[in-house]
Amino acid sequence: MNESFRSGAREGFRAFLPFSVGLIPWAIVTGIAMRSSGLSALEAVGMNAIVFAGTAQLGSLPLIVAGAPLWLIALTTIALNLRFMIFSAAIAPAFRDYSLRRRLLSGYLLVDGVFAVCAERLLKSDDPHWRWGCYLAPSVWCWGLWQFFGLIGVLGAGSVPSGWSLEFMATIALLVMLVPMAATRPMLVAALVGGLGAVLLRGLPLRMGLVAGILAGIAAGFAAERWSERRAS
Amino acid sequence: MIEGGALWLTFGVMAVFTVGLRGSFIVLGERGVLPPGLQRALRYAPAAALAALIAPDVLLEAGKLAPANPKLAAALAVIAVTVWSRNPWLPFILGMGVLLAMRKGFGW
């Protein structure tokens, strides 16, 4: 805990603090959605700590309720979390001189908000202590916030009478994530084809409709990007 | 519904893949590189996956296409409010409001 670690921690924490407030409704909603999907309070708290990935947690709930096979849940988790591989590639140089243990912990803690706020600061600094502070402080804060407000949601869900369709909060949360993503035309195409594909192909065996829809959406988005580039050039 | 040990196993598998993706290049360092074409295509995976999870829930009722249903109306309200406002609570309040008003108020 030297001075440059503390200075990095202060900088990272201050930069991330305003963004972290936006996490609170997500954490509460995820807590409520897990409980109203039929998870016990312990299972919900466990999922929050073990998986620690809001989108994948919300996305897997309908599959868990339907008793979907494990490989399908794994595949959905991968599709929803693929963005982290791109973040990981972008931020990796900032961790080059760290031990394997520290890098594994960094991987577990990597979230969208901290990446967005801290990646550039980390990549600009040569001081490994400063970088570690600047990454660790906001990441641990974010983790604690997620666990705490998730627990509030888990405990609060029990006091809401059933029949209030609270499980729909998960779908709303997924929608709120999707809408800003679909701001460019290729992304919108990917979303429309992915959604309609999953609906139209729902009859496929082994719930392959979901996978087929996702793959069709990726292909359509990529094709739309190519097409708009060709028109522009 | 997945329950008991199988549920905890599911959490474990989800965690392995999540940490695997988040940690991928951080752990591998300079040794791992993804072909740029694949990287560009994969940017569409989250949007496609989110839509593929949402659409069946809001477009189907008991496995059949239902273009007029309370969930779809609520979803459209959520999309509208997300486009127009940056308030993080409003989509949940409005979405649940529309759904409950239609289900409880009008008995849809």
Side-chain angles (χ1 to χ4, degrees), chain B:
Chain B
M1 179 86 197
I2 301 174
E3 281 167 338
L7 186 62
W8 290 98
L9 176 69
T10 304
F11 298 162
V13 168
M14 289 177 70
V16 165
F17 283 107
T18 303
V19 175
L21 289 168
R22 283 178 170 164
S24 56
F25 288 94
I26 291 177
V27 171
L28 285 175
E30 253 90 278
R31 276 165 288 170
V33 187
L34 219 58
L38 187 62
Q39 245 186 69
R40 284 176 70 186
L42 289 182
R43 281 187 296 130
Y44 295 102
L50 285 174
L53 287 163
I54 296 164
D57 188 38
V58 299
L59 287 175
L60 302 175
E61 262 189 337
K64 291 231 170 66
L65 215 57
N69 78 74
K71 279 183 174 177
L72 185 60
L76 292 175
V78 169
I79 292 172
V81 75
T82 313
V83 169
W84 292 113
S85 149
R86 302 200 57 173
N87 184 317
W89 301 96
L90 216 50
F92 297 102
I93 296 167
L94 203 73
M96 290 311 293
V98 168
L99 183 70
L100 289 175
M102 289 180 79
R103 278 203 176 144
K104 303 231 172 217
F106 304 104
W108 201 321

Side-chain angles (χ1 to χ4, degrees), chain A residues 37-57:
Chain A
S37 298
L39 268 61
S40 73
L42 179 69
E43 287 163 350
V45 169
M47 187 186 207
N48 243 4
I50 296 171
V51 182
F52 184 51
T55 320
Q57 282 173 247

